[in-house]
Amino acid sequence: MERTPEPELMDGEEQARAYAQADFREPHDRFVALLQESLPDLPEAGTALDLGCGPADVTLRFARAFPLWSVEGLDASEPMLRLGRAGVEAAGLSARVSLHQAHLPEADAPRSAYDLVFSNSLLHHLRDPSALWRCVRRWAPPGAAVFLMDLLRPENRAEAQRLVDLHCSGEPEILRRDFFLSLLAAYRPDEVRAQLEAAGLGYLSLRVASDRHLVVWGTRRRDTLPRVRAGGR
Ligand SMILES: C[S@@+](CC[C@H](N)C(=O)[O-])C[C@H]1O[C@@H](n2cnc3c(N)ncnc32)[C@H](O)[C@@H]1O
């Protein structure tokens, strides 16, 4: 099945509220567990950047699992950030977690470099997927860790509908529709592999992690720039 892009930002109030109220315990706890398993050598304390943090559910789960880390989340959607900031406040984690309005890839982050750059479910939203990999290169310097999880495009629409019924039963229609459209907009592992190669990040690992998720992880390497000979020839 060909990919069908979906709108990049989730900036509708109702859409943001439905997303923030959804029960993402299972995939978001798994995100943190897979991150811990994939990056066993993370230092005890550090700085992390969450790209496309939305209402900060993953951001907060990460912060609870890594109590000596600080996390900054970026998202372009104000409704998502409003809900996220309320969640950070309610969790009593404002000293370590902050959220910032930023349209990627052009916006700035509070710091120029982080010990870990992570992201959940942003890639399939982007009009140009290279935007995400440019952000990784920009904010994860050599030696920094990288971990991303995203949806995996199913073989056909019937399979996408089956996954919606299996994992999103009992959720509001707006959320079921979003999930269906997100599955249609997601990338296949070979497409993500090609994106990584094109971005000079082909050494990062990639694997299918569930019936609907893939993960990418690793440590950022120093760039190997093409040599320019003396005299420019
Ligand atoms: C599916 S949500 C994922 C939110 C969060 N990471 C999570 O796992 O719950 C995708 C988020 O990416 C944001 N987004 C999409 N394109 C963006 C862009 N170009 N710059 C910044 N945020 C973007 C959307 O506004 C939305 O909040």
Side-chain angles (χ1 to χ4, degrees):
M1 169 176 69
E2 290 289 303
R3 174 172 187 264
T4 310
E6 65 171 345
E8 199 169 71
L9 301 187
M10 295 177 74
D11 49 4
E13 291 283 350
E14 194 195 348
Q15 184 189 34
R17 213 175 16 256
Y19 190 85
Q21 286 171 356
D23 182 1
F24 285 124
R25 246 172 319 176
E26 190 264 325
H28 290 181
D29 277 345
R30 189 141 40 81
F31 178 96
V32 175
L34 288 169
L35 185 153
Q36 287 171 313
E37 185 185 307
S38 310
L39 300 170
D41 298 327
L42 279 182
E44 220 180 311
T47 56
L49 180 67
D50 180 0
L51 300 170
C53 61
D57 188 58
V58 171
T59 331
L60 288 173
R61 284 173 202 273
F62 173 87
R64 287 192 200 98
F66 290 85
L68 298 181
W69 281 64
S70 61
V71 198
E72 282 156 4
L74 303 183
D75 203 287
S77 161
E78 265 306 335
M80 284 289 197
L81 290 170
R82 253 197 313 280
L83 293 159
R85 288 183 184 126
V88 172
E89 187 77 27
L93 286 171
S94 309
R96 289 197 293 123
V97 180
S98 61
L99 309 182
H100 307 268
Q101 217 246 341
H103 189 275
L104 302 169
E106 64 277 4
D108 285 327
R111 295 167 196 260
S112 59
Y114 291 82
D115 301 307
L116 165 67
V117 173
F118 69 83
S119 177
N120 183 52
S121 278
L122 171 64
L123 180 63
H124 71 269
H125 276 277
L126 296 172
R127 250 190 304 275
D128 172 9
S130 73
L132 176 57
W133 308 117
R134 286 209 296 280
C135 290
V136 166
R137 292 177 60 100
R138 177 174 170 191
W139 284 306
V146 176
F147 184 84
L148 297 109
M149 183 162 102
D150 210 288
L151 294 171
L152 179 63
R153 189 168 77 251
E155 290 295 332
N156 51 50
R157 294 172 76 92
E159 176 60 6
Q161 190 57 55
R162 190 188 72 78
L163 291 169
V164 173
D165 294 340
L166 182 65
H167 298 294
C168 227
S169 67
E171 295 287 2
E173 193 45 40
I174 187 169
L175 202 74
R176 290 171 55 82
R177 191 174 153 276
D178 264 2
F179 184 38
F180 182 76
L181 295 178
S182 290
L183 286 166
L184 267 44
Y187 292 96
R188 305 280 307 162
D190 54 329
E191 294 166 341
V192 178
R193 175 52 64 211
Q195 292 167 18
L196 290 169
E197 296 290 348
L201 297 169
Y203 52 84
L204 293 178
S205 304
L206 181 154
R207 82 174 170 92
V208 172
S210 81
D211 58 356
R212 62 204 187 285
H213 293 114
L214 56 80
V215 290
V216 172
W217 76 96
T219 302
R220 176 88 155 77
R221 288 187 194 160
R222 195 165 297 283
D223 283 327
T224 44
L225 296 172
R227 288 238 177 102
V228 179
R229 278 192 290 164
R233 289 180 292 148

